[in-house]
Amino acid sequence: MKDISYHILDIVRNSLNAGARMVEIHILEYSQTGQLVLKIKDNGSGMKEEMINKVTDPFFTTSVKKKVGLGLPLLKQNAELTGGRFSIESAVQKGTLVEAVFNLHHIDMIPIGDLALTFRTLIASSPDTDFLYRYRVDDCGFDLDTAEIRMRLEGVSLNTREVLDYVTDAIHANLKALKGWK
Amino acid sequence: MDKIRNLADLRELKDKLQSKTKLRDKSETPEQMVQIKVAMATCCIASGSRETMNYIVDELDKRNIDAVVTQTGCMGYCYAEPTVEVILPGKEPMVFGYVDSRKADEIIEKYIKGGMLVEGIIPVNYKKID
């Protein structure tokens, strides 16, 4: 994967396949340690322990159409290439938490990419799932919660171009303000 | 935590959209609409299906075509990603390969609007006998 935004789209797909109704995506940057922490947390069906141990094996997949499953192994590889870490926790019927730690200043660090477009794609294809998108740089940051947006829209589907444009603009504006403050 | 931008202006958007969606309530009957499934697994994303999907969603809206666009998993044609499945009402599903924005434009104009087949179809090479 070329950048972190693609990884997010890819890993969240696992959550949706596991029947998650709520997916939290956290990107936390720490300027002191130069680290970026990516967390993806869902309330899907979860996994048993023996499966957790197998998911980072590229030749393990739950799909019957193909023989490889590269999403998690590629994320793990990209995190570890920067000297970072990768971990996964899961409980059956509770959900799963995937966490990847990247070292931002490492030469092999991939770009963050177009987060707004990833988020837009997620909402457009799963308008009834709740997504919480949290971005922090040290103590500053913003949250974007589609449950809150849905409540305020009072029945209008999130899957309309005007709403998607609104969300994209909001993320762009917030990211710009956040990066400008640093 | 500082909230940089609040959601107050959503109210205006809501009022605008509520009148518009009344016209669009046809989505209750998806089998009568054009259905488009964009494959969105690891292989597809790495080949650019995110851009393809967003292009299709935007263009259908701009060209006033009522369609349901959804994601699907890997269809097993990883060599031909991004792949898109199009189901016109009452017709067999059709899978197109190597769909970048130019190809997507061709599919919308020729196949969805005009009913003409375009190049790049991934053939279904066998069928089960019932």
Side-chain angles (χ1 to χ4, degrees), chain A residues 50-67:
Chain A
E50 65 241 48
M51 195 160 155
I52 301 174
N53 296 331
K54 281 192 277 187
V55 286
T56 50
D57 173 357
F59 295 102
F60 174 79
T61 177
T62 52
S63 164
V64 289
K65 287 182 184 163
K66 54 187 174 62
K67 293 187 175 123

Side-chain angles (χ1 to χ4, degrees), chain A residues 1-8 110-114 118, chain B residues 50:
Chain A
M1 292 286 158
K2 275 183 278 185
D3 59 44
I4 288 182
S5 72
Y6 285 109
H7 274 301
I8 293 173
I110 52 174
I112 292 179
D114 194 343
T118 281
Chain B
R50 182 181 72 178

Side-chain angles (χ1 to χ4, degrees), chain A residues 1-3 5-7 9-10 13 16 63 65-66 69-71 74 113-115 117-118 120-122 124-126 136 139-145 148-149 152-157 159-166 169-170 173-175 177-178 181, chain B residues 1-21 24 38-55 57-63 67-78 85:
Chain A
M1 292 286 158
K2 275 183 278 185
D3 59 44
S5 72
Y6 285 109
H7 274 301
L9 190 61
D10 192 16
R13 179 88 212 155
L16 298 174
S63 164
K65 287 182 184 163
K66 54 187 174 62
L70 299 176
L74 288 174
D114 194 343
L115 294 169
L117 190 60
T118 281
R120 185 188 176 110
T121 313
L122 287 173
S125 51
S126 320
R136 292 276 186 283
D139 293 334
C140 299
F142 63 91
D143 281 2
L144 202 135
D145 185 353
E148 192 184 345
I149 296 176
R152 282 171 189 263
L153 285 174
E154 295 173 26
V156 175
S157 168
N159 192 8
T160 49
R161 194 155 68 95
E162 288 81 355
V163 178
L164 293 174
D165 283 347
Y166 174 86
D169 288 349
N174 279 328
L175 279 176
L178 192 61
W181 282 0
Chain B
M1 188 208 61
D2 299 276
K3 256 203 172 154
I4 302 167
R5 182 176 162 155
N6 64 35
L7 299 168
D9 36 342
L10 268 173
R11 174 165 288 277
E12 219 176 290
L13 193 65
K14 185 203 85 187
D15 295 336
K16 204 176 108 192
L17 287 173
Q18 264 176 344
S19 49
K20 194 181 161 188
T21 40
R24 290 186 151 215
V38 183
M40 198 73 84
T42 309
C43 50
C44 325
I45 295 170
S47 318
S49 61
R50 182 181 72 178
E51 283 68 20
T52 301
M53 167 140 186
N54 279 290
Y55 180 83
V57 170
D58 285 353
E59 288 304 309
L60 289 172
D61 191 272
K62 278 185 204 158
R63 299 177 198 188
V68 194
V69 187
T70 50
Q71 283 186 13
T72 175
C74 178
M75 296 194 238
Y77 308 115
C78 306
E85 183 180 325

